[in-house]
Amino acid sequence: MLISLILITFLTLGGAALTHLIARDGPLLWRLSAGCIIGSTICGTAAFILACAFGLNAGTAAAAVIVSMLPLAVFLRPDNKNRLTRDWQRARGKLDGANSRKFARFAYYLFFFLLFLAFFSRAMIETPDGIFTGASQNLGDLPFHLGAIFSFTDGANFPPQNPSFAGAKFSYPFAADLLTAVFAKFGAGVSDAMFILNVAWAFSLLVIIERFVLNLTGDRLAARLGPVMLFFSGGLGFTAFFTDFWAQSQGLFEFIRHIPLDYTIGERFRWGNSMVVMFITQRSILLGMPLSIFTLNILWELVSSQKADESEKRKMLSPAMLPFFILGLLAGLLPLIHLHSLFVLFVTGVALLILWPGRRNELFSFAIGVALSALPELVWSVSGSASETTRFFGWHFGWDKGEQNFLWFWLTNTGLFIPMALLGLWLVFSRHRAGTAANPDARSTTKAKAHHLSEPAVDSLSLLWFYTPFAFLFVLANTVKLAPWEWDNIKVLIYWFVGTIPFAAIAISWLWRQKKWGVAAAVLGILILTLSGAIDVWRTASGQVMIKVFDKDAVEIARQLREKTPATGLFLNAPTYNTAGVLTGRPSLMRYTGHLSSHGIDYSARESDVKRIYRGGAAADQLMEKYGIEYVLISPEEKNTLSPNEMYFSKFPVTAESGAYRVYKVR
């Protein structure tokens, strides 16, 4: 674990240095948090390029880390060095003179840090009995990510091919898993590397979201509430929790220690808690979201800042455009990190260009940077991919509502969130209208001093316009299917949620500042908004879930196969999520059909051939020759689902064996 801590520190320092080229001002904690994400992004991308050329080894891993630290050279310039000194002095000043406000701020961050430690420690649990997960929604996702990681560390998978569908381009955004593999090449354990990266990215997201809400609202209480709403998101599932409690005989505290199921995701509720259904399962968004929100934050500060005089108007190629160009280069790395995040930035960027034509030079500079980074990655991902684009789009109303009424579905799944957001929007509009009535020639705004990164600004009209692309994302994701599996639209809907959080937070903050009834309403409101999510997060963080993913024989035979088989040896196994082949890093002819279908891959013909091979005979000989299969796994999973002809396979030599697991060398 120490190795992972040292490496994430290096990445954070390099990334934080780069923020000085993008933002002139900002708290040190925010710079370090953004630096963690930026450094991880640069290192993952550099590792991809270097490994494609030279393979992933200790040398290329070290080179990728060094590349991520090159931005430290910005401190050779006196102005950047002075800015760093100023940020450090401000941070020290916040620690001097203990008082209740500073203690509350420290307790706020400490609470989330400890929560993340407990929560993400449940992602992957290694025991003598095998590999487990303590996250209820992670049963299929954990082996998928492990398959990617081990394909990089032990499978020589460069340029990356899909380890779950041999011969096809690995078009899934894999940068988070590749960075984990980089850490492993330094000697870090895979589970330790995953844990440290997950905690670091989650805490960075906390700080970045807080700063985002603060800059949009100018309200520090709202800013504190923003991350609470995100990390404890949920709907009215707590009503089912209390129904289940009243239906049994245990006491409340005993029931809380043995919660039977999740209350934000299931047959009735589909808007799962962000921590439970996304951040611990879909590691890509845990890296992609903070990078996207960091970018949106800078763009908001651009469009909400005071317009430059004509005499000071900046030209397209002037040095003043450099921060936005660099920001675009970073955002353009999203295709290998989280493609849906890039789509969100595209929608937002187009909207900002339409709504703020006076900022077209800066926005065009940003767009050029995005294009230079993103287009090569997109071209690489698409060429040779087995994913069929037509499977990603289609008309589909109401997201995952099923037979439920649309309005009732969203009310039960998000609780008071939408009503509170509407109240917040009304408050912002009322503030704008009041300011305009008081002074028709003035904008109701607190102007920013800095150009690239402002002090918290409140421009009511700009804030309302800035929200329009997020509202559009909600409409779009409830009208069009943006992935083969309609539930995956949540990868876009979560950005509607994040973009709406400032308004819900404004409403809660406004209630808090009213008379006694307002305080009670604010407390009740935040409780209803977060109770369901808190129950699910507690269930995971407290260790109540323990699901076996790989038994000890699967772990043992994978160890043998890593030693006895070539890195690129092609395996045949049952199309299941937890085949032992995942842990070898070797490619499979095909794995879990659920993953393949969600990635838009037509696997039907190959699935039929897998069944024919396991039946044995002359057809099996021909098909194994056709695909170039070298090893065949027969384990309890194959026996239960495919009824393999073990007499046929007994003619081949056994390469590895452990318990009920046996691998035959067929080529």
Side-chain angles (χ1 to χ4, degrees), residues 315-318 320-329 353 359-372:
K315 296 181 180 179
M316 184 67 181
L317 298 179
S318 69
M321 299 299 107
L322 183 61
F324 305 103
F325 177 71
I326 295 175
L327 182 67
L329 289 176
L353 188 60
R359 292 300 189 185
R360 61 181 178 274
N361 285 349
E362 292 91 339
L363 293 172
F364 273 131
S365 297
F366 169 75
I368 291 171
V370 170
L372 288 176

Side-chain angles (χ1 to χ4, degrees), residues 244-266:
D244 290 345
F245 165 67
W246 288 321
Q248 51 85 58
S249 59
Q250 290 180 320
L252 179 60
F253 291 106
E254 183 66 19
F255 186 70
I256 290 174
R257 289 196 295 268
H258 300 89
I259 300 174
L261 49 84
D262 290 328
Y263 288 96
T264 64
I265 186 72

Side-chain angles (χ1 to χ4, degrees), residues 3 13 261 279 290 301 307 347 355 398 515 530 541 579 603 663:
I3 294 173
L13 293 176
L261 49 84
F279 298 150
E301 289 159 351
K307 187 177 180 180
V347 170
L355 295 170
K515 296 180 180 180
T530 60
T579 174
Y603 57 83
V663 174

Side-chain angles (χ1 to χ4, degrees), residues 386-389 391-392 483-485 595-603:
S387 298
E388 298 179 7
T389 306
R391 293 174 177 259
F392 282 79
W485 182 28
H595 291 150
L596 299 177
S597 63
S598 67
H599 298 160
I601 297 175
D602 182 2
Y603 57 83

Side-chain angles (χ1 to χ4, degrees), residues 234-240 263 269 408 411-416 528 532:
L236 300 181
F238 64 86
T239 59
Y263 288 96
F269 300 101
W408 180 248
L411 178 62
T412 56
N413 274 267
T414 59
L416 285 181
I528 293 174
S532 299

